[in-house]
Each structure stands twice: as structure tokens, then as C-alpha cells.
């Protein structure tokens, strides 16, 4: 293949780094792209798009490579990787930050923390700012500050002709709307973002652990508690065969946090390694980030919950966990929503399921390829049970087996998204297995 015309750093199967650089964070994805082009600037991005069009090669856009289903790679495609475009430029006068598309969350948080700012991002330090923001972005500040995408004020995107477009509420507002919840890989290559930011000093970091005895009571309490919970608190929780965890950030004091969490704190068998501490925002971020494993093989997805699950359904979920393969690999996970997220109407951005109370995640991982089928099959069984009880799927927790994915990810916004696609990518150049088509 002739790579003439591509600029930036090109890695082909002949380079020894190719075998590592072709991989996604999810090591179950095992694709062989034609080449990877690491772009340093918008011109490299534009050249990659033009080169693909000229040579009739499909393009995949990659930032952190954390897409669960590996939609940032494909056999025979050119991967356009934004990793080296990763500046974080803070404008303290206006409390805004310009972040280039390739930045990972760890860098975003630490640069902002140097100037005393928090950021409404996710919890894993190696997730890319691009995939996170373009799909919505939930985290331990989301009930207080909204989604990552809700804090976006502008982005720059390179379109299918290789031209740069600015999108904000005044210029290209439909594209701006679409990129806040449905932008991952669909309309162009985002190259930079401007976000509003919030000054913060200390927050209360919550890490609670229990053994497995009260899992049903825990989930029942979680659902009841979330309905009226203070919007300054956001939590990610869950359970497996062995126990229950709840991690959270509270934008207030430790005493207030304990009061807000009193019903959880009185559940039996709270373990000694539990803690509630008033710490610097960046320390809370680093502690949570440290829980993530290095890249591994996994299958995961999630559903938006609008209506509390009944005790009978909760019991069934716990049974699914108890009958899951392995020892501690299968989890039901809970991600709090509401608060600032549902202060915004459903049609204000492409992120649709704003009235959901939480996301119910189904996740598992394994080491040996021969075990993959059993674990994936478990996810499928639980998914089939949960689907009729819930209302849609979060595009950043994608599921390749999801039928009618357009409606499931974007609800009624899907039809408008197709119109935006017609306007900005009428030839459907930006496409992948679950992309938005103009037709
Ligand atoms: C360990 C782990 C922890 C996670 N934690 C959270 C969390 O706390 N909160 C949360 O909301 N989500 C979380 N997620 C999900 C995460 O938000 C999504 O996987 C997200 O899409 C990852 O973005 P990425 O840039 O790393 O991935 P990539 O795989 O590089 O990209 C994801 C998608 O966006 C597209 N894309 C990438 N870059 C661009 C670009 N510059 N322009 C246009 N399209 C682009 C890709 O083509 C792909 O379709 C987590 C995922 C993992 C694996």
C-alpha cells in the first residue's frame, strides 16, 4: 500500500510497535488495521481523511481506545489516532479550558488541579477526553456539574472533506447539539474542545465496602435514596459474589456527607477498609483512578433505569450474580444520575435519557480466551433480563448485540441525528458497526 499523502507518524504492520499499538484497552478486541496515523495537528487529520477517500479505505478515529466494543479500530482500516494532540490550556480569567482531542483524563485532571479547578469527567485516568465527551460523560461530579458534554462550550471538528468546522451555540448549532451525546465517530474528527470549569478546593471522598450479605437491601436503598439525594453527591456502586462497594464524591464537608449517607452507613457488615475523608479534589481523583486494572479482556454494557426495580427483580439480579461464572469477575454496577443532568431538557443535547435515575451496568472480565464464551453468555443472559425493565442504553457503554441501537442509544433524538448526519456527512464517510447513517 502506498501511504504517500499521509502526514504525522505512520505505523504499519512492518513496524515492530504495530503489534502493541493496534490494540484497544479491551484486549478481547483483536483487529488488524491497515495502518495507524498519529496526527500532530489539524493538517495531519485533514490529510488522513483525504487519503482514505482517495484510496477508498475506511477510517476509524481513536483517542483513548477505551470503547468497549472496539469501535475505534477495524480490520483493514486506517486508524487516525489523536494521542499526540493533547494540550490542556487554561484561561483563568474566563474559567474555561481548551483541551486538545487526544488528552487522557489523568492529564486533564492534573493540569486543571494545578490551577485549583475540578472537572466533570469520568473516573478512569486513561479514558480519552474525546470518546467520553462526545458520548456524554458521567462521573463522580455529574450530579453536581452535569455531564462532561454539558460543560462543553465549543469544539473544533474536521469534516469528511478535511475542512475545519467550529461548532457552538451560535455557529453550526445542530452539529454542536449532536456532538454532545452522539459525536463519537459519527460526524467528523474532533480536534479540540473548550469547556467551562469550576474552582474547587477540598471535597469529601467516599469509599464504602460491605460483605455480600445485604446486596438486596443495598440496591433497594440505593433506588429509594437516589430519588431525593442531595445533588452535590454522585456515586458509582455495585456488587459481585463477594461484596458491595460504593465510591462517591460529595461537594461539601465530611459531617454533611455522613448525614446524607446515614442509611447506607447503618447497613450491616460495613468493612474496616471503608473511609469518608475530606481531601483535595485531585487526591480523590487519584484514589479512584488507582482502582482500574491495566488493559484486560472484558464484556460490559449498561441500561438506563427510570423505574425502580421491584424486590423480586432485585432478588433475581443477585441470583444472576451468585450463579455467575468464576469467583469475583461478574458485577452489577450502579452509576448515579439525576441532579444537574436532569435540570436540562431531553432535547437540549443529543444525550437523551436525562430523566433516568441511574445506569445499571453489567460487567465481566476473563483471562483465558477459552473462557470468553461463558462470560459473554452471562452478560447476554443478564442483559435480556434487565432490558424490559429499563429504558435505553448509554452509548459510552455500547453493546454490539443491541438491536435497534439508534433508538436505544438516542431515543427520539435519533431522527434528528440522522438529519444532522445528512447535513454534515451526507456520503456516510464516518461509519462503523453502530454509527448513525444518513438514510
Ligand atoms: C476502564 C473504563 C472506565 C470508564 N469509565 C467511564 C466513566 O467513568 N464515565 C463514562 O462516562 N464512561 C466511562 N467509560 C466509557 C468511556 O466513556 C467510553 O469507552 C469512551 O468512548 C472512551 O473514549 P476513548 O477516547 O478512550 O475511546 P476510543 O475507543 O478512542 O473512542 C470511543 C469512540 O469515540 C470515537 N472517537 C474517539 N476520538 C474521537 C475524536 N477525536 N473525534 C470523533 N470521534 C472520536 C471513536 O471512533 C469511538 O467510536 C469507561 C470505559 C472504560 C474502559
Amino acid at each position: 500500500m502506498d501511504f504517500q499523502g499521509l502526514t504525522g507518524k505512520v505505523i504499519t504492520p512492518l513496524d515492530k510497535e504495530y503489534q502493541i499499538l493496534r490494540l484497544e484497552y479491551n484486549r478481547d478486541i483483536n483487529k488488524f488495521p491497515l495502518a495507524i496515523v498519529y496526527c500532530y495537528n489539524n493538517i495531519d487529520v485533514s490529510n488522513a481523511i483525504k487519503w482514505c477517500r482517495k484510496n477508498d479505505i475506511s477510517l476509524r478515529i481513536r483517542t483513548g481506545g477505551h470503547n468497549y466494543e472496539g469501535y475505534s479500530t477495524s480490520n483493514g482500516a486506517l486508524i487516525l489516532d489523536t494521542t499526540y494532540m493533547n494540550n490542556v490550556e487554561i484561561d483563568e480569567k474566563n474559567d474555561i479550558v481548551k483541551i486538545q482531542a487526544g488528552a487522557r483524563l489523568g492529564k486533564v485532571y492534573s493540569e486543571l488541579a494545578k490551577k485549583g479547578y475540578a472537572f466533570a469527567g469520568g473516573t478512569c485516568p486513561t479514558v480519552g477526553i474525546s470518546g467520553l465527551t462526545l458520548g456524554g460523560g458521567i462521573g463522580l461530579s455529574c450530579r453536581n456539574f452535569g455531564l462532561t458534554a454539558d460543560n462543553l462550550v465549543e469544539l473544533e471538528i474536521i469534516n469528511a472533506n478535511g475542512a475545519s468546522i467550529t461548532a457552538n451555540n451560535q455557529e453550526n448549532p445542530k452539529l454542536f447539539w449532536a456532538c454532545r451525546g452522539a459525536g463519537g465517530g459519527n460526524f467528523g474528527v474532533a480536534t479540540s474542545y473548550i469547556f467551562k470549569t469550576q474552582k474547587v478546593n477540598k471535597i469529601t471522598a467516599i469509599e464504602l465496602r460491605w460483605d455480600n450479605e445485604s446486596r438486596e437491601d443495598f440496591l433497594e436503598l440505593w433506588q429509594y435514596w437516589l430519588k431525593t439525594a442531595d445533588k452535590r453527591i454522585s456515586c458509582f456502586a455495585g456488587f459481585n459474589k463477594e461484596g458491595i462497594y460504593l465510591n462517591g464524591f460529595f461537594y461539601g464537608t465530611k459531617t454533611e456527607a455522613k448525614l446524607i449517607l446515614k442509611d447506607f452507613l447503618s447497613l450491616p457488615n460495613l468493612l474496616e477498609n471503608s473511609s469518608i475523608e475530606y481531601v483535595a479534589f485531585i487526591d480523590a481523583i487519584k484514589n479512584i483512578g488507582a482502582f482500574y486494572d491495566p488493559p484486560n479482556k472484558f464484556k460490559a454494557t449498561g441500561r438506563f433505569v427510570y423505574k425502580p426495580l421491584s424486590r423480586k427483580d432485585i432478588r433475581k439480579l443477585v441470583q444472576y450474580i451468585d450463579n455467575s461464572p468464576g469467583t469475583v469477575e461478574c458485577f452489577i454496577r450502579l452509576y448515579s444520575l439525576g441532579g444537574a443532568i436532569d435540570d436540562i431538557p431531553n432535547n437540549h443535547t443529543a444525550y437523551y435519557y436525562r430523566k433516568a435515575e441511574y445506569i445499571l451496568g453489567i460487567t465481566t472480565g476473563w483471562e483465558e480466551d477459552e473462557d470468553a464464551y461463558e462470560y459473554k453468555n452471562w452478560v447476554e443472559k443478564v442483559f435480556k433480563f434487565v432490558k424490559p425493565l429499563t429504558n435505553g442504553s448509554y452509548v459510552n457503554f455500547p453493546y454490539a448485540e443491541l438491536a435497534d441501537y439508534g433508538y436505544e442509544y438516542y431515543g427520539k433524538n435519533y431522527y434528528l441525528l440522522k438529519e444532522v448526519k445528512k447535513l454534515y456527512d451526507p456520503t456516510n464517510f464516518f461509519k462503523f458497526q453502530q454509527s448513525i447513517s444518513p438514510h
Side-chain angles (χ1 to χ4, degrees):
M1 188 80 210
D2 180 4
F3 294 109
Q4 195 87 49
L6 284 181
T7 55
K9 183 178 176 188
V10 181
I11 302 288
T12 76
L14 300 175
D15 293 300
K16 63 178 188 310
E17 310 97 296
Y18 172 87
Q19 289 303 340
I20 281 287
L21 299 178
R22 73 180 175 85
L23 298 176
E24 297 270 291
Y25 178 84
N26 183 354
R27 294 294 203 243
D28 186 48
I29 311 293
N30 186 26
K31 304 283 176 177
F32 294 85
L34 179 71
I36 305 159
V37 59
Y38 285 90
C39 297
Y40 294 100
N41 51 45
N42 284 3
I43 296 170
D44 295 340
V45 171
S46 178
N47 286 341
I49 293 169
K50 288 177 186 161
W51 183 88
C52 282
R53 293 188 76 133
K54 187 169 156 218
N55 294 288
D56 200 18
I57 298 291
S58 67
L59 179 88
R60 290 293 182 279
I61 316 163
R62 186 171 78 181
T63 290
H66 280 53
N67 185 280
Y68 287 180
E69 298 288 5
Y71 294 153
S72 42
T73 185
S74 184
N75 288 329
L78 178 74
I79 298 184
L80 186 165
D81 193 303
T82 62
T83 294
Y84 295 128
M85 300 168 74
N86 63 14
N87 278 349
V88 176
E89 221 178 282
I90 302 162
D91 173 352
E92 284 187 89
K93 218 168 108 207
N94 297 301
D95 287 333
I96 54 172
V97 57
K98 183 168 183 178
I99 302 176
Q100 282 192 304
R104 308 298 201 266
L105 287 188
K107 175 167 180 175
V108 171
Y109 282 124
S110 54
E111 292 298 313
L112 280 164
K114 286 181 197 160
K115 306 276 184 195
Y117 289 101
F119 185 69
T123 45
C124 172
T126 52
V127 160
I129 189 68
S130 287
L132 180 84
T133 305
L134 298 170
I138 58 166
L140 294 181
S141 304
C142 66
R143 287 170 43 82
N144 196 31
F145 295 142
L147 302 169
T148 316
D150 294 339
N151 289 276
L152 186 67
V153 289
E154 180 173 304
L155 80 161
E156 187 177 11
I157 196 161
I158 310 294
N159 72 10
N161 299 323
S164 161
I165 302 183
T166 298
N168 55 36
N169 273 329
Q170 287 74 41
E171 283 178 78
N172 298 292
K174 288 183 180 164
L175 182 62
F176 184 51
W177 172 86
C179 285
R180 288 173 292 161
N186 279 313
F187 303 103
V189 182
T191 54
S192 73
Y193 309 90
I194 297 175
F195 294 95
K196 58 182 183 207
T197 53
Q198 297 82 4
K199 284 264 186 199
V200 69
N201 185 7
K202 286 187 164 186
I203 62 163
T204 301
I206 300 143
E207 288 176 23
L208 303 179
R209 307 286 180 264
W210 295 262
D211 68 15
N212 65 5
E213 197 186 306
S214 310
R215 288 171 299 176
E216 289 181 28
D217 290 343
F218 179 87
L219 181 42
E220 193 155 45
L221 170 60
W222 165 271
Q223 298 191 130
Y224 165 78
W225 173 82
L226 254 184
K227 286 198 174 295
T228 54
D230 189 310
K231 70 183 269 191
R232 291 172 297 161
I233 194 166
S234 306
C235 300
F236 286 180
F239 53 86
N240 64 359
K241 273 185 192 166
E242 284 197 338
I244 310 169
Y245 71 91
L246 182 146
N247 296 326
F249 286 0
F250 173 62
Y251 283 78
T253 64
K254 183 170 156 172
T255 317
E256 267 185 294
K258 283 189 170 167
L259 204 62
I260 288 171
L261 290 165
K262 68 177 185 336
D263 291 341
F264 285 108
L265 293 171
S266 47
L267 284 174
N269 305 339
L270 182 67
L271 301 181
E272 268 181 19
N273 58 355
S274 299
S275 66
I276 298 184
E277 295 297 341
Y278 194 56
V279 294
F281 176 77
I282 191 65
D283 291 335
I285 283 291
K286 284 184 178 161
N287 286 343
I288 289 294
F291 288 125
Y292 287 96
D293 296 325
N296 56 349
K297 294 173 186 164
F298 69 89
K299 184 81 180 173
T301 187
R303 296 285 295 170
F304 289 107
V305 182
Y306 274 63
K307 214 172 83 217
L309 306 184
S310 67
R311 185 74 185 201
K312 195 168 138 236
D313 291 332
I314 290 175
R315 189 164 307 135
K316 195 91 207 275
L317 270 184
V318 171
Q319 280 166 5
Y320 273 116
I321 285 289
D322 285 338
N323 296 325
S324 61
T327 49
V328 293
E329 298 84 357
C330 296
F331 279 88
I332 295 299
R333 298 191 191 268
L334 313 166
Y335 305 84
S336 68
L337 301 173
I341 298 172
D342 87 18
D343 288 344
I344 295 175
N346 272 12
N347 60 358
H348 189 80
T349 63
Y351 178 94
Y352 181 73
Y353 295 99
R354 288 191 179 270
K355 299 288 168 208
E357 296 188 347
Y358 66 98
I359 293 175
L360 190 149
I362 310 160
T363 75
T364 190
W366 59 91
E367 278 178 18
E368 302 303 329
D369 287 338
E370 67 204 38
D371 295 330
Y373 175 79
E374 197 186 2
Y375 284 93
K376 287 181 183 177
N377 194 35
W378 178 81
V379 172
E380 192 182 330
K381 272 198 307 209
V382 184
F383 183 82
K384 279 192 178 143
F385 169 67
V386 163
K387 187 162 181 277
L389 309 173
T390 53
N391 282 58
S393 289
Y394 177 35
V395 70
N396 274 354
F397 296 170
Y399 190 47
E401 292 76 9
L402 188 63
D404 201 8
Y405 68 83
Y407 187 76
E408 294 290 346
Y409 291 143
Y410 312 116
K412 289 189 187 141
N413 286 341
Y414 185 46
Y415 306 103
L416 199 48
L417 282 165
K418 281 171 142 332
E419 296 303 313
V420 179
K421 180 79 174 175
K422 267 182 223 162
L423 276 177
Y424 287 94
D425 183 22
T427 64
N428 203 15
F429 171 72
F430 294 105
K431 61 170 185 279
F432 57 93
Q433 193 180 334
Q434 290 190 330
S435 57
I436 297 166
S437 123
H439 314 295

